[in-house]
Structures are given as C-alpha cells and as structure tokens.
C-alpha cells in the first residue's frame, strides 16, 4: 500500500511512482479513478488539501444562455492535477 508522510516532502515523487505502478498493474486508466486512489491513502488533512485543488474536480463555467442553469465542467487529467500537487510542496520536484 502506498504511503506518504507530508513531513518527507522529498518522497512525494516516490509516492506517485508507487501509485502509478499499481495503476499499470491493475489497468487503471481513468483520470478520475487515479485521482480518487491517489487521495485514498493519505491522512484526512492532506486528502482535503489535495481534493481542494481545482484540477481534482474540474473547473465549472456558466452555460452560454441564462435560461439554462446547467454548468459545463472542464475535466482535468490526472497528470495536470498531479503537477499542481507538486507545486504545493516546494522541494518535492516531480520526476516526470
């Protein structure tokens, strides 16, 4: 099971490498599933932080007309989200 201690920022890349090995081994290809699994093994506070990054859920934009209240979401990839996670931890430096 992948684990990461927020006190050991330099090990963040290793956490993602372990996850991605499991993704390949288990044939997890969906961006949303990858994000969900990535936050699953974290502490509550870290999970909340990672899930609050806009690239986790997507960015919502208003519909083109006012009579239709639907909102369209821009779905971010797992890689886009992961890049933003590395930005939260100076010194973590992604190996990708």
């Amino acid at each position: 099971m992948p684990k990461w201690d927020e006190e050991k920022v330099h090990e963040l890349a290793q956490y993602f490498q372990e996850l991605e090995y499991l993704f390949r081994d288990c044939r997890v290809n969906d961006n949303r599933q990858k994000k969900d699994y990535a936050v699953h093994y974290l502490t509550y506070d870290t999970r909340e932080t990672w899930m609050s990054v806009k690239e986790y859920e997507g960015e919502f934009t208003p519909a083109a007309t006012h009579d239709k209240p639907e909102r369209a979401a821009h779905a971010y990839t797992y890689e886009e989200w992961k890049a933003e996670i590395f930005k939260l931890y100076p010194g973590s430096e992604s190996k990708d």
Side-chain angles (χ1 to χ4, degrees):
M1 170 176 22
K3 290 190 179 193
W4 180 63
D5 180 351
E6 194 170 337
E7 299 293 320
K8 298 177 181 176
V9 173
H10 62 282
E11 294 180 1
L12 182 58
Q14 179 63 33
Y15 175 74
F16 279 106
Q17 288 171 355
E18 289 177 22
L19 280 171
E20 290 161 11
Y21 170 79
L22 292 173
F23 294 159
R24 285 186 302 276
D25 194 46
C26 298
R27 295 183 178 94
V28 176
N29 297 311
D30 180 73
N31 283 303
R32 182 53 194 227
Q33 280 187 309
K34 289 179 179 181
K35 294 176 198 178
D36 288 344
Y37 285 129
V39 300
H40 181 78
Y41 300 104
L42 303 171
T43 64
Y44 176 82
D45 290 336
T46 303
R47 180 181 309 119
E48 290 295 307
T49 299
W50 288 22
M51 290 173 71
S52 72
V53 172
K54 78 174 181 185
E55 286 79 3
Y56 184 79
E57 290 290 342
E59 185 173 43
F60 290 92
T61 56
T65 61
H66 289 90
D67 61 336
K68 294 185 179 181
E70 299 90 12
R71 293 163 24 122
H74 168 75
Y76 290 97
T77 67
Y78 165 79
E79 291 298 329
E80 290 172 312
W81 172 76
K82 183 175 85 167
E84 294 303 312
I85 297 301
F86 276 100
K87 290 178 185 177
L88 296 174
Y89 303 97
S92 62
E93 300 178 3
S94 173
K95 303 293 184 201
D96 294 342

